[in-house]
Amino acid sequence: TYRIKDWCKDTINSQLIELKDFEISRYLVTNAQFAYFIKANGYDFSQLWWDKTGKEWLRYSQQYEPSLWNDKRFGITCPNKPVVGIIWYEAIAFCQWLTQMLADNYVYTLPSEAEWENAARGLSRRIYPWGNDTPDLEHANYAQVHNSTTPVGCFTRGKTPEGILDLAGNVWEWTRSEYGPYPYDTKNDRVKLESPLSGSVSLRGGSWVPWGWAASSARSRPSAWPWRSPRWNSWWRSCRPSSSPS
């Protein structure tokens, strides 16, 4: 009981903070999009988009694709589903590659936890991405109803007023913020792009799995170690790039 109460307190942020302008992807990265990264020798550890620790992980793991890439329910056979089974280093490398590949004067990265929550809750501080109405199966993929992830953009009733989809349910999303207690400390926003990290990384968004909290209000805040393989748990992790002018 203590742990549950303590976890609930850790989802409440009353601290006002100021964010720089940013943009966030309307959809999660799909398998079809991630395939371009693989075809561009994305897993070559000599490439500049892998940092030192990411390269060490790549050499050790001998990984050349996401861990669930060939899974019939989750992988490339489902091109419009969100890419899953990626660790934090893979998500960061994809964003670094995207910045170099597009070369459009924007820097693409994972959203910070504060940016993600701002996108999901808006200035009105809504409970869910779509508002304060209790979720149903038209809002999001949760409670294992579909027994898998679903293609991005299916749940239009669950989009934010700004048009961002899949911020609740379907898959947990990596952020670039190390996990830390709320209220948010503006003097230490915990944003990390370099590695190694000293702690776990904040996940946001919810999942398709059957636990009740996987439907996920916009305040849920689990975490995961950046090198932990998603194969060992039930919240397959994906990514949603954010961007800002370079």
Side-chain angles (χ1 to χ4, degrees):
T1 302
Y2 171 79
R3 289 185 177 181
I4 293 174
K5 288 181 179 179
D6 190 58
W7 179 83
C8 290
K9 289 179 181 178
D10 207 23
T11 68
I12 299 172
N13 180 36
S14 58
Q15 176 69 49
L16 293 176
I17 62 173
E18 184 176 346
L19 295 174
K20 295 181 180 179
D21 290 344
F22 72 97
E23 298 178 11
I24 193 167
S25 175
R26 181 171 294 184
Y27 304 104
L28 291 158
V29 174
T30 66
N31 286 316
Q33 292 169 325
F34 201 85
Y36 286 103
F37 174 68
I38 296 174
K39 291 177 182 177
N41 295 320
Y43 282 83
D44 180 352
F45 61 76
S46 68
Q47 299 289 355
L48 295 176
W49 44 80
W50 291 97
D51 66 14
K52 181 179 179 181
T53 308
K55 289 178 179 180
E56 291 175 357
W57 169 81
L58 205 55
R59 289 192 189 98
Y60 175 79
S61 68
Q62 294 294 299
Q63 196 93 349
Y64 299 104
E65 58 193 21
S67 62
L68 296 169
W69 193 243
N70 295 308
D71 189 290
K72 292 182 179 179
R73 283 199 300 165
F74 305 107
I76 189 55
T77 55
C78 308
N80 292 327
K81 286 188 175 184
V83 62
V84 291
I86 57 174
I87 70 165
W88 188 82
Y89 298 124
E90 289 170 284
I92 288 290
F94 173 82
C95 292
Q96 301 272 30
W97 165 80
L98 188 65
T99 299
Q100 294 184 38
M101 188 270 294
L102 292 179
D104 58 359
N105 296 318
Y106 276 78
V107 175
Y108 295 86
T109 184
L110 297 176
S112 69
E113 186 174 16
E115 289 171 345
W116 192 99
E117 186 166 330
N118 177 262
R121 302 191 68 190
L123 296 178
S124 64
R125 309 297 290 161
R126 50 188 178 259
I127 298 175
Y128 298 98
W130 55 85
N132 297 325
D133 294 341
T134 302
D136 60 34
L137 297 178
E138 295 295 319
H139 286 108
N141 174 14
Y142 67 100
Q144 208 167 354
V145 170
H146 301 281
N147 199 35
S148 180
T149 57
T150 46
V152 302
C154 284
F155 298 89
T156 56
R157 283 192 61 192
K159 67 181 179 182
T160 69
E162 297 79 20
I164 307 169
L165 292 103
D166 293 319
L167 284 166
N170 210 7
V171 290
W172 289 108
E173 302 177 30
W174 287 113
T175 72
R176 69 176 190 271
S177 297
E178 282 192 297
Y179 189 85
Y182 270 179
Y184 209 91
D185 182 0
T186 55
K187 296 180 181 179
N188 176 21
D189 61 10
R190 299 179 278 107
V191 170
K192 297 290 183 182
L193 286 179
E194 72 281 2
S195 58
L197 298 175
S198 59
S200 59
V201 179
S202 293
L203 296 169
R204 302 302 295 258
S207 177
W208 59 274
V209 294
W211 301 294
W213 61 295
S216 188
S217 77
R219 297 179 296 186
S220 298
R221 304 183 63 233
S223 66
W225 296 105
W227 58 85
R228 185 70 57 82
S229 171
R231 186 180 294 278
W232 297 107
N233 55 55
S234 297
W235 41 52
W236 315 124
R237 299 165 198 152
S238 191
C239 63
R240 179 192 304 268
S242 65
S243 64
S244 58
S246 58

